[in-house]
Amino acid sequence: MSHYESPIRKPLVTGDKSYHDVTLDVVRPVEGKANKSWWVVFSIALIAFLWGLGCIVYTVSEGIGTWGLNKTIGWAWDITNFVWWVGIGHAGTLISAVLLLFRQKWRMAINRSAEAMTIFSVIQAGLFPIIHMGRPWLAYWVLPIPNQFGSLWVNFNSPLLWDVFAISTYLSVSLVFWWTGLLPDFAMIRDRAVKPFQKHIYGILSFGWSGRAKDWQRFEEVSLVLAGLATPLVLSVHTIVSFDFATSVIPGWHTTIFPPYFVAGAVFSGFAMVNTLLIIMRKVSNLENYITIQHIELMNIVIMITGSIVGVAYITELFMAWYSGVEYEQYAFLNRATGPYWWAYLLMMTCNVVSPQFMWFPKLRRSIMFSFFISIVVNIGMWFERFVIIVTSLHRDYMPSAWTMFSPTFVDIGIFVGTIGFFFVLFLLYARTFPVIAQAEVKSILKTSGEKYKKIRAEKGEHAKLYDEPVQEPLPNFTEQFNSKSNS
Amino acid sequence: MYTMSSKLKLFSLALIIVGAIGLIYGFIDAPSSVEDVKEMLHAEDAAHSGEVAMGSSGVDEAAHADEHAEHVFHQLQNKPWAAIYVPALFIFLISLGVFVFYALQNVSQAGWSPVLFRVMEGITSYLVPGGIIVYIILLLSTLHLNHLFIWMDPEVVANDVIIQNKTAYLNTPFFLIRAAIYMIGWILFSKLIIKNSRKLDEEFSLTLHKRNFKLSAMFLVFFIVTESMMSWDWIMSIDTHWFSTLFGWFVLASILVSAVTTIALVTIYLKGKGYLEHVNNSHIHDLAKFMMGFSIFWAYLWFSQFLLIWYANIPEEVTYYVSRLEDYPVLFFGTVIMNWLLPMLILINSDFKRVNWIVIFAGIIILVGNYMNFFVLIMPGTVGESWFIGIPEISSILLISGIFIFTVFSALAKAPLTVKHSAFLEESKHFQY
């Protein structure tokens, strides 16, 4: 009875699915051909990406002055977008690592896409630290490499340098974690491939995975260790991103709650993005039996919880601004609420604090349309959160003579649009070439959490056989055969 | 059914009596007038003869010495009060943390923990006596019987503009009302949820199960808000000039790690006595994992708060750490070793997490470390450099833990140690990891 599961738990795989059905459902998009709408969406994303690329080339060749930054506001859309993309990336690791540590079986249908989303959004985030540099061609100076300047090194006291280490480590660990999980699934596609080219490609991607017991044992152990490492990593990465602001002395930036609150916000926005993507993906890739309403509901609950944590943090900040008695701090928050960017603050508050509270109602959080809507709202809200933190704190701080405003140029906007385009280019390519559901993992929970098997257990009790007994053909009578042969 | 052994009863009563005597001694021993302190300081000076400061004017020096004596007098008068306040608050918050963990198990529909529910319910029972003790100490503070919270002293407030700006929040009636709301809320939720759990013993009912689920979710929302405010009120306001937005969550981390540790220790004790037949080493393993995880989380928040204030070095915040680094260096860094380094090194090994004595060993380190954490949070603002872990401090710990042990184990004897019905009980019985 080691695999007992409470009957109260809802099935995670619906429909009458067997192991083979899982395989077929997962490989269908990979083995099939892209339809017209895929090409349409892909072209749009590609155009956006190319437009963004043009803006980046323009920025680098002309100078940062093409952006809307000024002498007071040295960071605006660039770092807002950076933090936003990094934040989105966090849900992937959270789903695959933290939910693994908490033995959440529902993660299995969504972890692959969530991790893909992590990697693609960290790539977008990684662009900004480079392109917002005045001299990006000297970017390699941030690395502590022995050199001909008398071994001139970097100063390890800057959170911007910590960012370099955090983001690059995060990307590499996420990539390894993702790829390890992909090995059995690539092997499955390799084994099914009929065209030599595909067989060759997936043969390379799957690293010769053959699925022996020892391999699986080590595979599980590696996953657990990586999950154990990725969890502190995911916390520390966004913590370090938050240090960019919190270590400063700017009113509105210097606050100790930033590390955990940025992480909560990252999980919040990341889950919203996963929800947005998966609600579409389950429809277009026919994966409704794997990414069920139950999954969407659970993601909504995570959004609700992290949204509430973010809400508590907002209120804490407001209270402390008053309680501190520091007039700069008090003004920073007064300015957010009633200054020229009041609309951004209001938008952020409504989207981040109010909208997740709708998820308390089961009807709403089980509605796909509503979840989709809220997930977009949350992503808008979280973009504005970073914008509000960065811009409203900078545009009015200690010296009133340095007060100013910020408005983005088309280049600022173009680069942001470009990263969205690039993200979708990568994600759309992924959805057509990669197994978007970790089929090996889903198969491991099929008999405990599949609807078909739950039904069998409900009818025949806990000890019901969940497999067909192999039928033994009667053996031919060898003695008779032998006798008849020797006789003839 | 569990019955509290007479040995344990005797032991807890002995703790209470010894602790009470020691604490009373602490109160008697505290200097009753500034003159006593002056004499004491004089004697100390005599001991360090030759180190007499070269004052430029005798009058100034005398005035300064008077001021210093009065300062030390207040600190020493506070000492027995702070000594009892630290463990009273710490252990009360442990039982609150256990209930939070219990509520978390309910809302997350955990399949491993139902066999431990009764242990958690038992520890939660300390909420009532613990809450009364803490509330009485707070009440006595507002009645000016001590100087734990300087903002309660009208004389101090009259001369302090910064505190005056905070009086809209920091005033005694509002303070007491808030404290009452938190306590009544927490206790009410615990009573309701535990009552439902007892009712479930008679017969499984999905309605009751769902009701507890909802109540637990409501409690957690109530808790996260009240916990933040509680930490500002009861701990942060001691250093009235100082503020930190992270503070509430930092205290929360300390509460959670101590709470899970307490659950593990009580479980291992009961299991060792032959109760809790369904608890196996996988359950212990899970608890130990939470112990390790939360201690790392504690360290993360400790470090984040410290780093940000150290890095920016803004004078109005940094004094908080300056006084701690100057007067409590060993305890200050000791907490990091006890609450993070040692538990992490001990509990990182998967096999170790299944060995009872190792979990107990790590658990004791964590509990002592978190007591130290509360000590470093509360003492610098109440007794300053006059701190010492002596008779009043140790007796207070003995007194409160005696009451805690007595309450918890007599509560454990009131219901079967394993719940009879829970939607996930069967999963929990067969849990292996």
Side-chain angles (χ1 to χ4, degrees):
Chain A
M1 284 260 287
S2 58
H3 287 293
Y4 175 84
E5 187 169 282
S6 170
I8 208 168
R9 298 201 191 274
K10 288 175 191 144
L12 294 173
V13 180
T14 54
D16 199 23
K17 298 290 177 190
S18 64
Y19 287 142
H20 188 56
D21 297 331
V22 176
T23 307
L24 289 183
D25 290 338
V26 173
V27 295
R28 192 173 301 120
V30 181
E31 291 178 346
K33 275 210 157 53
N35 59 13
K36 209 168 127 197
S37 42
W38 186 89
W39 283 106
V40 170
V41 178
F42 182 75
S43 311
I44 296 170
L46 194 65
I47 291 166
F49 168 44
L50 293 175
W51 169 249
L53 205 60
C55 289
I56 290 173
V57 171
Y58 179 59
T59 303
V60 173
S61 52
E62 275 300 302
I64 288 292
T66 53
W67 291 2
L69 300 174
N70 52 50
K71 283 183 185 167
T72 296
I73 302 167
W75 277 354
W77 275 54
D78 47 352
I79 300 301
T80 301
N81 298 336
F82 164 69
V83 182
W84 188 71
W85 277 119
V86 178
I88 283 175
H90 275 49
T93 319
L94 194 102
I95 287 168
S96 48
V98 178
L99 297 188
L100 175 88
L101 295 184
F102 283 108
R103 301 191 288 261
Q104 297 297 305
K105 288 178 181 170
W106 61 278
R107 76 174 196 281
M108 289 172 177
I110 56 173
N111 55 4
R112 175 67 42 73
S113 296
E115 283 169 55
M117 190 197 74
T118 292
I119 286 155
F120 302 149
S121 57
V122 173
I123 289 171
Q124 308 314 319
L127 290 172
F128 288 100
I130 295 169
I131 58 173
H132 91 305
M133 287 180 173
R135 299 180 188 84
W137 48 90
L138 297 180
Y140 69 97
W141 283 13
V142 303
L143 303 174
I145 309 168
N147 53 55
Q148 288 155 316
F149 299 105
S151 245
L152 181 68
W153 268 33
V154 283
N155 184 346
F156 284 95
N157 288 343
S158 168
L160 300 182
L161 183 68
W162 306 341
D163 269 345
V164 174
F165 301 132
I167 302 293
S168 53
T169 312
Y170 186 48
L171 181 62
S172 22
V173 171
S174 304
L175 199 61
V176 170
F177 196 13
W178 188 49
W179 208 275
T180 317
L182 275 163
L183 294 179
D185 292 5
F186 278 147
M188 179 272 286
I189 301 179
R190 171 201 65 196
D191 296 345
R192 286 178 50 86
V194 278
K195 292 181 200 150
F197 179 71
Q198 268 85 338
K199 203 166 191 80
H200 187 65
I201 293 292
Y202 286 104
I204 292 171
L205 294 179
S206 60
F207 293 180
W209 176 266
S210 56
R212 284 166 301 198
K214 200 68 196 170
D215 298 350
W216 276 114
Q217 188 214 342
R218 286 177 178 142
F219 176 90
E220 297 265 313
E221 223 159 285
V222 164
S223 306
L224 206 55
V225 169
L226 280 178
L229 289 173
T231 305
L233 186 64
V234 80
L235 258 79
S236 66
V237 168
H238 220 67
T239 293
I240 286 168
V241 170
S242 83
F243 282 171
D244 295 348
F245 312 104
T247 51
S248 73
V249 292
I250 302 291
W253 279 13
H254 178 73
T255 169
T256 50
I257 207 169
F258 268 13
Y261 144 61
F262 264 53
V263 174
V267 177
F268 179 53
S269 66
F271 262 82
M273 189 60 118
V274 176
N275 228 350
T276 314
L277 296 175
L278 288 188
I279 286 173
I280 299 174
M281 182 180 262
R282 71 194 286 275
K283 191 84 195 159
V284 297
S285 298
N286 289 316
L287 296 169
E288 280 118 325
N289 281 319
Y290 304 95
I291 302 163
T292 63
I293 305 272
Q294 165 87 343
H295 289 84
I296 290 168
E297 183 180 13
L298 287 166
M299 284 195 276
N300 283 331
I301 289 173
V302 176
I303 289 173
M304 176 184 85
I305 293 167
T306 47
S308 305
I309 293 174
V310 167
V312 170
Y314 285 165
I315 295 161
T316 305
E317 277 199 302
L318 280 174
F319 174 79
M320 280 303 158
W322 171 80
Y323 181 86
S324 71
V326 181
E327 57 182 352
Y328 299 108
E329 199 70 34
Q330 292 173 342
Y331 181 73
F333 282 88
L334 186 74
N335 178 47
R336 278 184 195 178
T338 62
Y341 290 109
W342 63 270
W343 52 273
Y345 185 70
L346 186 70
L347 204 61
M348 138 189 159
M349 276 290 185
T350 345
C351 294
N352 295 348
V353 182
V354 180
S355 72
Q357 302 307 321
F358 287 111
M359 297 304 180
W360 286 101
F361 304 101
K363 259 218 179 90
L364 292 178
R365 67 168 181 255
R366 293 182 71 83
S367 148
I368 290 176
M369 280 306 288
F370 189 75
S371 311
F372 187 72
F373 171 69
I374 289 291
S375 67
I376 303 242
V377 165
V378 166
N379 272 314
I380 295 172
M382 284 308 288
W383 191 88
F384 273 99
E385 182 200 290
R386 278 67 181 254
F387 179 80
V388 164
I389 289 172
I390 293 170
V391 172
T392 63
S393 308
L394 285 177
H395 89 127
R396 290 185 175 179
D397 63 345
Y398 293 112
M399 272 197 316
S401 59
W403 285 5
T404 180
M405 289 294 291
F406 169 80
S407 58
T409 64
F410 79 95
V411 192
D412 283 300
I413 300 167
I415 292 176
F416 181 48
V417 172
T419 54
I420 295 175
F422 191 13
F423 175 82
F424 278 104
V425 165
L426 293 172
F427 198 83
L428 286 165
L429 287 174
Y430 150 82
R432 296 230 38 87
T433 46
F434 278 50
V436 294
I437 283 182
Q439 52 91 28
E441 292 202 63
V442 168
K443 283 174 185 170
S444 74
I445 57 160
L446 189 64
K447 285 192 175 172
T448 53
S449 310
E451 193 180 19
K452 175 181 170 188
Y453 297 96
K454 275 185 172 283
K455 265 186 198 153
I456 296 176
R457 280 205 304 269
E459 279 167 21
K460 300 185 183 165
E462 275 307 320
H463 298 283
K465 283 201 178 70
L466 299 176
Y467 54 89
D468 298 321
E469 288 278 358
V471 183
Q472 176 80 59
E473 292 282 324
L475 285 172
N477 195 332
F478 289 113
T479 359
E480 215 168 71
Q481 274 180 4
F482 181 77
N483 289 343
S484 62
K485 259 183 196 164
S486 57
N487 283 353
S488 62
Chain B
M1 283 291 278
Y2 167 76
T3 41
M4 189 175 173
S5 66
S6 54
K7 241 194 216 164
L8 194 63
K9 237 178 233 171
L10 210 64
F11 175 66
S12 60
L13 287 176
L15 285 178
I16 294 171
I17 292 163
V18 172
I21 292 170
L23 188 64
I24 291 166
Y25 167 79
F27 276 105
I28 295 169
D29 193 41
S32 50
S33 73
V34 185
E35 301 309 313
D36 292 350
V37 177
K38 273 186 191 161
E39 248 171 58
M40 192 190 78
L41 288 175
H42 203 71
E44 259 177 41
D45 271 351
H48 302 282
S49 58
E51 286 177 37
V52 184
M54 303 277 281
S56 52
S57 107
V59 187
D60 256 17
E61 199 181 299
H64 181 75
D66 276 358
E67 216 173 81
H68 178 64
E70 202 178 322
H71 186 61
V72 174
F73 168 63
H74 280 303
Q75 292 184 339
L76 290 178
Q77 269 213 319
N78 264 342
K79 211 170 156 296
W81 285 99
I84 181 74
Y85 186 50
V86 174
L89 186 62
F90 176 54
I91 296 184
F92 169 68
L93 290 178
I94 284 181
S95 79
L96 178 65
V98 169
F99 182 58
V100 172
F101 193 73
Y102 176 60
L104 279 170
Q105 301 302 309
N106 275 340
V107 294
S108 63
Q109 316 205 346
W112 65 280
S113 53
V115 294
L116 300 172
F117 276 2
R118 280 291 140 83
V119 175
M120 300 183 203
E121 290 172 10
I123 302 172
T124 305
S125 68
Y126 179 72
L127 272 182
V128 177
I132 293 170
I133 294 169
V134 171
Y135 201 82
I136 288 174
I137 297 175
L138 297 177
L139 192 69
L140 295 179
S141 301
T142 60
L143 296 174
H144 308 299
L145 286 173
N146 58 51
H147 297 89
L148 289 181
F149 300 87
I150 54 160
W151 59 265
M152 288 178 185
D153 190 338
E155 264 179 50
V156 173
V157 178
N159 298 315
D160 193 323
V161 187
I162 297 178
I163 300 183
Q164 280 165 23
N165 286 332
K166 302 183 187 197
T167 43
Y169 186 77
L170 293 180
N171 59 74
T172 47
F174 190 26
F175 176 82
L176 286 178
I177 294 170
R178 282 199 306 269
I181 292 173
Y182 313 151
M183 295 230 182
I184 292 170
W186 299 335
I187 291 172
L188 218 61
F189 271 112
S190 75
K191 291 280 167 204
L192 277 173
I193 292 172
I194 292 173
K195 203 178 95 190
N196 285 341
S197 155
R198 299 286 148 91
K199 258 195 220 160
L200 270 172
D201 261 6
E202 288 155 25
E203 193 189 2
F204 181 72
S205 118
L206 211 55
T207 342
L208 270 181
H209 170 81
K210 280 184 180 160
R211 192 176 298 158
N212 257 5
F213 178 91
K214 279 182 187 157
L215 279 172
S216 301
M218 278 156 64
F219 165 71
L220 289 172
V221 173
F222 178 74
F223 170 78
I224 187 74
V225 177
T226 49
E227 191 275 338
S228 295
M229 296 175 75
M230 174 278 289
S231 63
W232 306 335
D233 288 2
W234 299 354
I235 307 175
M236 198 168 83
S237 81
I238 288 173
D239 297 276
T240 318
H241 284 195
W242 184 76
F243 52 88
S244 167
T245 39
L246 180 65
F247 194 76
W249 295 355
F250 173 61
V251 172
L252 175 68
S254 202
I255 296 173
L256 284 177
V257 68
S258 322
V260 177
T261 305
T262 311
I263 297 172
L265 295 185
V266 175
T267 307
I268 291 172
Y269 171 81
L270 290 172
K271 180 79 188 166
K273 293 274 163 201
Y275 301 96
L276 299 175
E277 55 167 327
H278 297 294
V279 172
N280 57 37
N281 62 11
S282 290
H283 294 102
I284 304 296
H285 186 189
D286 261 31
L287 285 169
K289 273 192 279 186
F290 272 113
M291 282 160 65
M292 185 178 87
F294 281 138
S295 55
I296 294 172
F297 184 62
W298 175 90
Y300 160 64
L301 294 179
W302 181 94
F303 178 72
S304 297
Q305 182 170 279
F306 178 66
L307 177 103
L308 291 177
I309 289 173
W310 169 83
Y311 193 111
N313 203 18
I314 298 175
E316 59 249 37
E317 297 179 348
V318 86
T319 47
Y320 184 82
Y321 283 113
V322 169
S323 63
R324 278 160 179 76
L325 283 168
E326 274 175 4
D327 300 329
Y328 298 75
V330 177
L331 283 188
F332 183 74
F333 290 112
T335 53
V336 185
I337 295 169
M338 305 267 290
N339 290 344
W340 168 65
L341 190 65
L342 293 178
M344 190 184 72
L345 293 179
I346 296 169
L347 294 177
I348 193 106
N349 185 313
S350 198
D351 294 332
F352 284 6
K353 280 182 279 223
R354 294 168 185 270
V355 180
N356 285 346
W357 73 264
I358 294 179
V359 177
I360 294 172
F361 178 61
I364 291 169
I365 292 175
I366 290 174
L367 287 182
V368 174
N370 278 284
Y371 168 78
M372 272 161 53
N373 183 38
F374 272 76
F375 194 88
V376 176
L377 289 177
I378 289 167
M379 287 293 174
T382 50
V383 302
E385 69 274 12
S386 310
W387 73 275
F388 185 69
I389 297 187
I391 293 173
E393 285 78 12
I394 292 171
S395 323
S396 308
I397 300 172
L398 298 182
L399 171 66
I400 299 289
S401 29
I403 301 173
F404 176 78
I405 292 171
F406 186 81
T407 325
V408 169
F409 286 91
S410 23
L412 283 170
K414 281 184 187 143
L417 274 187
T418 310
V419 290
K420 287 217 180 74
H421 301 286
S422 150
F424 304 105
L425 183 62
E426 216 49 41
E427 272 185 28
S428 179
K429 280 181 181 171
H430 296 100
F431 172 65
Q432 59 175 21
Y433 180 74

